[in-house]
Amino acid sequence: MSGDPVAVRFEHVWKSFGSLTVLRDVSFEVPAGAGFCILGRSGTGKSVTVKQMIGLIQPDRGRILIGGEDIVGLDAEGLARVRMRMGFLFQYSALFDSLTVGENVAFPLRRHSRFGEDEIRERVRGKLERVGLAGIEEKLPSEISGGMRKRVGLARALALEPPLLLADEPSSGLDPVTAREIDELLLDLKLKEGTTLVVVTHNIPSARRIGDELALLHQGRLLARGTPAELEQSEHEMVREFMKAEGGV
Ligand SMILES: Nc1ncnc2c1ncn2[C@@H]1O[C@H](COP(=O)(O)OP(=O)(O)OP(=O)(O)O)[C@@H](O)[C@H]1O
Ligand SMILES: [Mg+2]
């Protein structure tokens, strides 16, 4: 991943589940250090697209390159190596319910780093503080709100300070102020640390803020791709309409 000018590249990716074809010949690339937002209506394959980037779902056809390396068909060891350089925030947070918040955030550090306990504790404290949740290490996921769980998921995704962060609807279900704070945090990572962001969002104002480039999925195809200004002037009326929506599409 390091040094490659392209963080993520999809080449002619197809994916079906049974008779349902979700992605049809999807190709795009995410430049290293860019903010890339994936938009589209519910059920168009946004989550499937990002899950393929971490090898949780395999495409039927096509290549998926992460930092220049094709991850399709990689074995567990190869995937683990690639995942060490990626943070992933799942759409539904996916915290481990039986682990405390602190243990959740520490999980990737224990698994993939050689940090000692003191270092892990310090890193966990710092990441929770970064998402505005200082001091809740001892709580269980069931004891905090949905929005807080989402932010804990983000802290966990940031634990290894990955050069590539994938976030599936990081601000959905959050109040507007917190959602805005998450946007600011993501922007900060991109601008100050050069983190590449791939963000699935339904929120157009948020996509405008974070996204250098937006990609709109529609019925399994990449209908449009470009800067927010380019999409606003798209030849497709649907794309223009989509860009006018203020969220919740
Ligand atoms: N593991 C799976 N097995 C079978 N079908 C799946 C699987 N994962 C996703 N699908 C189907 O693929 C389609 C796309 O799903 P996906 O979760 O990517 O949608 P999405 O664009 O993320 O939608 P939303 O905005 O609601 O999150 C849906 O019809 C879904 O039911
Ligand atoms: Mg989804």
Side-chain angles (χ1 to χ4, degrees):
M1 194 168 303
S2 50
D4 201 285
V6 179
V8 181
R9 189 197 300 274
F10 269 47
E11 288 182 2
H12 305 291
V13 170
W14 291 75
K15 180 67 192 174
S16 298
F17 294 104
S19 59
L20 174 72
T21 301
V22 178
L23 298 179
R24 300 166 191 270
D25 197 20
V26 170
S27 299
F28 62 85
E29 60 183 53
V30 180
F36 188 84
C37 289
I38 301 176
L39 310 170
R41 298 174 72 160
S42 196
T44 45
K46 303 181 300 297
S47 294
V48 167
T49 300
V50 290
K51 282 178 184 167
Q52 289 185 127
M53 291 178 191
I54 50 169
L56 272 183
I57 293 179
Q58 292 287 331
D60 300 328
R61 268 197 276 163
R63 302 209 309 158
I64 296 171
L65 294 104
I66 303 293
E69 180 176 0
D70 190 354
I71 63 159
V72 177
L74 270 190
D75 60 12
E77 198 180 313
L79 273 180
R81 181 173 39 78
V82 173
R83 284 179 189 160
M84 275 179 69
R85 291 167 294 160
M86 314 166 84
F88 187 53
L89 173 64
F90 289 91
Q91 185 167 359
Y92 300 107
S93 304
L95 300 180
F96 301 110
D97 292 333
S98 59
L99 299 183
T100 63
V101 163
E103 287 163 347
N104 264 282
V105 179
F107 191 83
L109 297 170
R110 293 197 203 286
R111 190 157 196 178
H112 294 300
S113 81
R114 289 170 199 273
F115 289 162
E117 277 308 304
D118 287 353
E119 253 173 316
I120 288 179
R121 201 172 314 114
E122 190 46 36
R123 184 70 79 103
V124 167
R125 196 195 58 74
K127 295 305 166 200
L128 283 172
E129 189 168 54
R130 185 112 202 229
V131 299
L133 292 176
I136 68 158
E137 280 90 337
E138 298 308 320
K139 291 201 180 299
L140 285 168
S142 59
E143 296 169 332
I144 60 176
S145 72
M148 288 163 86
R149 280 199 288 276
K150 196 132 224 176
R151 286 187 281 159
V152 172
L154 185 55
R156 185 175 64 184
L158 297 176
L160 287 163
E161 304 188 340
L164 171 60
L165 179 68
L166 314 177
D168 195 348
E169 304 204 18
S171 55
S172 70
L174 301 183
D175 66 86
V177 176
T178 311
R180 181 84 189 211
E181 282 169 8
I182 295 287
D183 284 355
E184 294 302 321
L185 174 70
L186 293 175
L187 263 180
D188 209 49
L189 286 167
K190 185 181 78 155
L191 297 174
K192 294 205 182 123
E193 285 156 49
T195 307
T196 308
L197 306 174
V198 176
V199 180
V200 175
T201 181
H202 281 280
N203 187 306
I204 303 295
S206 169
R208 279 179 208 281
R209 278 196 297 274
I210 302 169
D212 300 302
E213 278 205 52
L214 317 182
L216 179 62
L217 280 174
H218 182 63
Q219 294 179 345
R221 294 192 188 277
L222 198 74
L223 185 61
R225 195 197 128 177
T227 63
E230 284 166 353
L231 262 58
E232 269 160 32
Q233 288 159 23
S234 167
E235 64 204 48
H236 295 287
E237 192 186 345
M238 226 207 80
V239 179
R240 295 196 305 271
E241 287 302 317
F242 202 93
M243 290 303 292
K244 281 189 209 147
E246 285 297 302
V249 185

